[in-house]
Amino acid sequence: MGCWLSLTDGPVWEGVMRLRALINVMAFSSVALQGSTVLSATSETEAAKLQPPFAVASDTAGTSVAIDGDLMVVGVPHNDMLGVDAGAVAIYQWNGYDWNYQGMAVSPSPVDNEYFGAAVAINDNVVAIGAPGNSDLASNAGAVYVYAWDELGFELNTTLYDGAPGADHSFGSSLSMSDAYLVAGAPY
């Protein structure tokens, strides 16, 4: 169990260190890196655990995590608050010694099995949230919601869809963001 931390010094990435779970009792289901801080979502008890106040164990909080500066977003794609597996995302802010819960985002039109929060990315207070079960254009075609975050909360900027949407494409299953670029995966 564990994950690999890779570093680059130019165009070549190298696997340089294997990160292991505490006493090898937990699996890394999602990881994020900010500077020298490694954030991991795990399935068992850990030294410090962030549990969104609205989530229960079956919500799979931490399926996706992302961190940028003092902000962290945590996907909770199986949250049932607004529909079965409609999903949600929690945001935390670092205050210098602890991560404080700041609020949550939900789909602007939540439906069952949307899996909002299955993937998350953050860059400079812009948060991208994948909802691979979104069926606005076709059954499970997927969508990516792009929000702005400030101390007042989330504000939806836009919704992105696959350029060639099709049933079960699951657009938004994975996300990565850097500067002005957002990449969204559609594995099917």
Side-chain angles (χ1 to χ4, degrees):
M1 284 182 219
C3 66
W4 288 93
L5 175 61
S6 297
L7 302 176
T8 183
D9 187 20
V12 178
W13 286 87
E14 297 179 28
V16 295
M17 178 189 310
R18 184 172 177 143
L19 302 176
R20 293 197 180 269
L22 298 175
I23 317 172
N24 284 334
V25 296
M26 56 194 156
F28 292 94
S29 61
S30 185
V31 295
L33 181 66
Q34 171 69 35
S36 61
T37 300
V38 176
L39 172 69
S40 67
T42 61
S43 58
E44 301 292 331
T45 304
E46 55 194 83
K49 185 173 185 177
L50 295 175
Q51 179 72 17
F54 59 84
V56 297
S58 62
D59 288 346
T60 61
T63 295
S64 58
V65 293
I67 186 171
D68 186 45
D70 66 349
L71 292 177
M72 173 177 54
V73 288
V74 177
V76 190
H78 293 279
N79 182 269
D80 297 333
M81 206 168 27
L82 299 174
V84 176
D85 293 335
V89 170
I91 190 159
Y92 292 85
Q93 190 160 28
W94 181 253
N95 65 10
Y97 57 88
D98 199 9
W99 289 101
N100 291 314
Y101 174 74
Q102 299 295 308
M104 66 180 274
V106 295
S107 172
S109 53
V111 296
D112 289 353
N113 303 310
E114 187 171 21
Y115 307 111
F116 181 90
V120 293
I122 185 170
N123 187 61
D124 291 335
N125 296 338
V126 175
V127 178
I129 301 171
N134 178 285
S135 296
D136 287 354
L137 302 181
S139 178
N140 297 317
V144 174
Y145 298 96
V146 181
Y147 289 83
W149 166 259
D150 64 24
E151 62 277 352
L152 301 176
F154 285 103
E155 181 179 336
L156 181 64
N157 280 350
T158 192
T159 303
L160 304 172
Y161 298 99
D162 188 335
D168 300 319
H169 281 193
S170 299
F171 181 74
S173 291
S174 59
L175 298 171
S176 186
M177 193 170 16
S178 180
D179 298 325
Y181 298 96
L182 170 62
V183 179
Y188 303 106

